């Protein structure tokens, strides 16, 4: 076995050629999406007006373990993959821990995050189906940026509904998308029925993700040759993101790294689901017993304080219902700076795995997260996205436990992205004006009240 | 010889262990810095109050070819080096050119540019000398960011004087520096004599690089344990940046790539000087005859329209004089968005090489540069810094010439950094409101008038 370098880069020809579908190895499968009116599992035909055909197949397929990655997607992957697995030796030294810490860094691409892994797949299937374009919503902007890049590559039209407050406060994200040729509209807009209705009812609204989803779905279904695409939560997205875990596992095997603990931040679940996929396979088969930790913000604690029930995936209730850990689709998290973790629900796959105790979860507070981000930036030289910094915080906590016990555990965490477009959050932290907010039981009760009663 | 991968990563143990000092192989040496009062070459002792001792030695040494890189610096380099040499096959395809295009990408680190290569060296020598900290100025912010990261690593104090208009208009750059612990002061400030004097004389001034340099030098010389450091122009900086070229050359040799043309943008000259260093060695020795092209903005054409004479390095005339291609230290370039290329002068080393016809130069216009940037972003997936996009433009022009002639030339260019903090410029381009400006001969005459008469 060769000495482990600081940054492990697999060779280009070691990029995995299939995604791994963890549902194939789950005994208790994740519950299907259901139609809110009939409460029956959604059928292929019912999804067709909204989603691309091939992506629906992937969404519904819970038996095929290996799904080949089309060559066109592999060609794009090689532009920024394999991503490095980094041995955080500078951080270890700073903490004085006997633990071995590694992170899989997904931020070395212009979109700045792992979202590109699924964006390029979704754009490809849209192109293959002969569509003109796709529509989507974006909040913080990571997903919108990734989709813009993917659509530019396949010369597909890309319509992004960006929550109005982000559109105005994050003009730089908007301009990256425009540079990639995307049509970016602040939501609610006057270009859709639902947008006009919301603008009429609430003339000064700054928008919400729920509203932007509704507009994007309407735009996709009301125009010939368009479909709607989504950057997290769905099974298909976790499938595409398995590339993260597959590369990580290959790098571990190549250098004899045996992880004890695997950590990822969890908003909708795309990054964590992708990172852990092949490790979960071994755990589901009883071959290995990794500790797997989902990290969420204390301000939006879907796993640690939510309910495992059917709920709407969006505030606007235009999407189907999913069985998941949820805080209720009306739950409004406080203004946490990790925009990508402010989702009321969670991937159905991860929800089932958490329910079945294959995954643990911890909630961390914002200021504490930025303290970890600062230490990480100064020692490892990468300025992390606030979302990713949640995983850093949890990894540091585990490494500090090792320092107390003297155990040399091996910790791997997902560093999903960079924070270059999140400097407003860092400014608050640098100025000492960042606040923490943990919802009271009363706050949570309000969200729970919006969960529909579903008796199947 | 193995097939050339899309991204060539050297192994960690292939990082060069010495910098290469091109002056050692130059027959006509670059002219020395001179003292403005005596017009005599500056002596070691005269530089000591301002610069670190070891860096002065490097500045003055024009005979030692190989200067070993200290282990502490190599340890830092491995955090983000070797940087990839990328085969731009997507761009080639888009252009339909028979040319082979490669770029050395220096933007994969949090500072977002090649500046870190010299920042870490300068911080190291300051630390080794037992200093408390360093001072510097920054305009666009790339250098300030790099220095902040380097100082955080060695736990050195870092005082950055940031041109006031940038401080206010680029708050995100400022916050990255603060996250790395730097003390960032808008210039002119009330913390220095010269800053107070300027503020008194011009109460509404938005500052200038010349003024920020003056403040940084005053801050360094008036406080025990501080020295001033600079991110470009100086010989020492080109020495440190030779790491770019040395890696590039090693990668070329490993995969049998034989460049015909080597291209880099040139502001103060640090990136171009670094990229070409080992190739220039062969050219100076008559072993190879590469075409080497410096690319500058048409709005600030030091090489293509400047004079090769002694001039002040800074507007404030606090620094020594250098013999270089200059537009005059009072020349004020128009508001080009490539802040890093808005310097009136040029590295003495590159000036001498250009004068001796080892280097060609071209000037390109801003809008044309951003057109190239957009094509590059959409095909190669990297959003370039406006400075780097100058090199892209020139490389594309050469590749398009090859398309006409049918020649399959091999072109290498330096992609110095990413444009994530330059989205205001992209916004202007996206909106179609970007303008070009070429100085008239009259404009240039005003700048030339500020050049002192120096009769040695």
């Amino acid at each position: 076995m060769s000495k482990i370098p600081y940054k492990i880069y697999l060779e280009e020809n070691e990029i995995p050629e299939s995604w791994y579908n963890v549902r194939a190895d789950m005994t208790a499968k994740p519950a299907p999406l259901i139609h809110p009116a009939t409460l029956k599992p959604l059928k292929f035909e019912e999804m067709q007006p909204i989603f691309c055909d091939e992506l629906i197949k992937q969404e519904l397929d819970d038996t095929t373990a290996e799904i080949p990655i089309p060559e066109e997607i592999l060609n794009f992957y090689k532009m920024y993959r394999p991503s490095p697995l980094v041995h955080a030796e500078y951080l270890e030294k700073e903490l004085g821990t006997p633990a071995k810490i590694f992170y899989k860094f997904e931020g070395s691409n212009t979109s700045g995050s792992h979202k590109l892994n699924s964006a390029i797949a979704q754009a490809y299937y849209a192109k293959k189906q002969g569509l003109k374009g796709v529509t989507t919503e974006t909040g913080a902007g990571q997903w919108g940026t990734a989709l813009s890049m993917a659509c530019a590559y396949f010369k597909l039209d890309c319509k992004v509904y960006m929550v109005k407050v982000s559109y105005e406060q994050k003009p730089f994200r908007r301009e990256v998308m425009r540079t990639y040729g995307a049509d970016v509209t602040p939501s609610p807009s006057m270009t859709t029925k639902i947008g006009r209705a919301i603008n009429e009812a609430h003339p000064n609204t700054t928008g919400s993700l729920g509203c932007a989803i509704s507009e994007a779905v309407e735009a996709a279904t009301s125009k010939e040759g368009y479909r709607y695409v989504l950057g997290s939560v769905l099974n298909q997205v976790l499938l595409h993101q398995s590339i993260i875990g597959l590369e990580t596992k290959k790098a571990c095997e190549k250098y004899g790294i045996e992880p004890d603990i695997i950590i990822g931040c969890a908003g909708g679940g795309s990054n964590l689901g992708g990172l852990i996929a092949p490790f979960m396979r071994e755990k589901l088969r009883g071959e290995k017993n990794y500790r797997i930790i989902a990290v969420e913000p204390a301000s939006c604690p879907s796993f640690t304080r939510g309910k495992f029930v059917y709920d709407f995936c969006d505030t606007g209730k235009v999407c189907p219902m999913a069985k998941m850990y949820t805080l209720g689709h009306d739950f409004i998290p406080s203004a946490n700076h990790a925009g990508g973790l402010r989702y009321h629900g969670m991937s159905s796959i991860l929800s089932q795995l958490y329910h079945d105790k294959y995954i643990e979860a911890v909630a961390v507070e914002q200021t504490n997260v930025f303290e970890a981000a600062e230490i990480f930036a100064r020692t490892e030289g990468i300025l992390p996205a606030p979302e990713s910094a949640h995983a850093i915080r949890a990894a540091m906590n585990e490494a500090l436990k090792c320092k107390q016990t003297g155990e040399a555990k091996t910790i791997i965490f997902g560093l999903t992205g960079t924070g270059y477009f999140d400097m407003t959050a860092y400014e608050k932290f640098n100025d000492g004006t960042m606040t923490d907010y943990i919802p009271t039981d009363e706050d949570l009760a309000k969200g729970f009240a919006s969960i529909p009663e579903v008796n199947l």
Side-chain angles (χ1 to χ4, degrees), chain A:
Chain A
M1 202 69 69
S2 4
K3 181 186 170 290
I4 300 174
Y6 173 64
K7 272 180 306 212
I8 304 173
Y9 279 107
L10 296 174
E11 301 290 326
E12 195 171 293
N13 57 21
E14 291 177 301
I15 296 179
E17 292 180 352
S18 295
W19 293 302
Y20 165 61
N21 180 5
V22 73
R23 286 166 289 168
D25 285 290
M26 291 169 70
T27 316
K29 305 280 183 192
L33 294 172
I34 60 171
H35 194 293
T38 64
L39 302 186
K40 301 270 186 222
L42 271 185
K43 288 185 201 137
F44 184 86
E45 307 79 58
E46 291 173 309
M47 296 189 184
Q48 269 189 313
I50 302 178
F51 298 117
C52 304
D53 292 357
E54 192 65 31
L55 292 167
I56 303 173
K57 281 186 207 155
Q58 294 181 353
E59 192 63 29
L60 296 173
D61 182 349
D62 59 9
T63 53
T64 314
E66 316 270 346
I67 296 182
I69 305 174
E71 200 189 331
E72 291 86 344
I73 297 175
L74 284 172
N75 272 343
F76 186 87
Y77 276 167
K78 84 172 176 185
M79 253 200 244
Y80 69 101
R81 310 203 67 84
S83 71
L85 180 68
V86 187
H87 179 194
E89 47 187 83
Y90 304 91
L91 180 63
E92 287 171 8
K93 199 175 152 197
E94 177 75 18
L95 299 177
T97 175
K100 294 288 157 212
I101 310 174
F102 295 85
Y103 55 92
K104 179 71 169 168
F105 180 42
E106 291 288 321
S108 270
N109 68 72
T110 288
S111 81
S113 83
H114 68 292
K115 296 277 181 183
L116 198 52
N117 301 329
S118 183
I120 193 64
Q122 298 193 43
Y124 167 74
Y125 290 117
K127 184 75 180 180
K128 200 181 156 206
Q129 197 174 324
L131 299 173
K132 287 183 204 149
V134 292
T135 71
T136 199
E137 76 291 334
T138 201
Q142 285 190 342
W143 167 246
T145 312
L147 191 67
S148 306
M149 289 181 70
C151 287
Y153 183 74
F154 285 121
K155 302 199 195 302
L156 265 180
D157 192 23
C158 179
K159 288 187 189 305
V160 181
Y161 288 85
M162 187 170 188
V163 177
K164 194 181 273 178
V165 61
S166 296
Y167 183 91
E168 284 160 5
Q169 290 181 357
K170 291 197 160 188
F172 294 171
R173 272 277 184 211
R174 178 188 80 207
E175 292 307 322
V176 179
M177 291 185 250
R178 288 183 70 207
T179 301
Y180 280 92
D183 174 22
V184 189
T185 307
S187 167
S189 74
M190 298 304 278
T191 67
T192 63
K193 270 186 220 168
I194 192 153
R196 286 189 293 272
I198 293 172
N199 270 317
E200 202 163 295
H202 312 278
N204 297 316
T205 179
T206 55
S208 72
L209 209 54
C211 167
I213 293 177
S214 308
E215 286 205 86
V217 172
E218 183 184 325
T221 50
S222 61
K223 218 174 157 184
E224 191 69 38
Y226 284 79
R227 291 294 184 282
Y228 168 72
V229 295
L230 187 65
S232 191
V233 184
L234 297 178
N235 299 334
Q236 58 185 267
V237 178
L238 267 72
L239 173 71
H240 306 148
Q241 295 296 357
S242 69
I243 188 90
I244 305 173
L246 292 164
E247 280 184 12
T248 304
K249 190 141 202 318
K250 210 176 252 195
C252 284
E253 283 164 4
K254 195 167 173 179
Y255 288 94
I257 300 163
E258 302 202 10
D260 298 298
I261 308 173
I262 302 166
I263 297 172
C265 61
S270 72
N271 142 67
L272 180 68
L275 173 66
I276 65 174
F279 300 99
M280 185 55 77
R281 181 176 215 174
E282 296 176 303
K283 192 163 179 173
L284 286 164
R285 292 172 169 189
E287 296 163 5
K288 287 282 173 68
N289 195 19
Y290 308 109
R291 273 186 69 202
I292 293 175
I293 307 175
V295 193
E296 56 186 19
S299 60
C300 191
S302 331
F303 267 150
T304 50
R305 297 174 73 192
K307 294 189 177 179
F308 187 44
V309 291
Y310 264 106
D311 191 11
F312 284 98
C313 292
D314 64 314
T315 323
K317 300 198 266 189
V318 299
C319 294
M321 296 201 289
K323 190 174 178 193
M324 56 185 177
Y325 278 85
T326 177
L327 297 164
H329 60 271
D330 275 356
F331 177 77
I332 298 169
S334 69
N336 187 293
H337 288 289
L341 304 180
R342 297 181 71 222
Y343 183 62
H344 69 275
M346 181 60 70
S347 138
S348 287
I349 294 175
L350 293 185
S351 292
Q352 188 65 48
L353 290 170
Y354 179 65
H355 180 73
D356 294 339
K357 308 215 182 317
Y358 287 102
I359 297 178
E360 308 166 31
V362 294
V364 290
E365 287 180 55
Q366 180 162 250
T367 309
N368 203 227
V369 164
F370 274 83
E371 281 162 8
E374 186 186 276
I375 292 171
F376 185 80
R378 292 186 186 185
T379 53
E380 290 289 321
I382 297 172
L383 189 84
E387 292 82 359
S388 324
H390 284 68
I392 297 173
R393 177 73 269 170
M396 280 172 60
N397 290 351
E398 291 298 327
L400 290 169
K401 276 185 217 162
C402 286
K403 187 178 180 177
Q404 290 193 316
T405 63
E407 288 172 288
K409 287 190 180 162
T410 296
I411 301 166
I412 293 182
F413 71 90
L415 189 70
T416 53
T418 49
Y420 307 139
F421 293 94
D422 301 289
M423 295 317 298
T424 308
Y426 276 95
E427 183 174 7
K428 284 231 167 97
F429 178 72
N430 293 335
D431 286 344
T433 58
M434 181 169 275
T435 51
D436 291 318
Y437 173 77
I438 303 177
T440 61
D441 288 341
E442 212 172 39
D443 296 327
L444 292 187
K446 280 182 211 159
F448 291 146
S450 69
I451 297 174
E453 259 193 65
V454 174
N455 300 307
L456 296 182

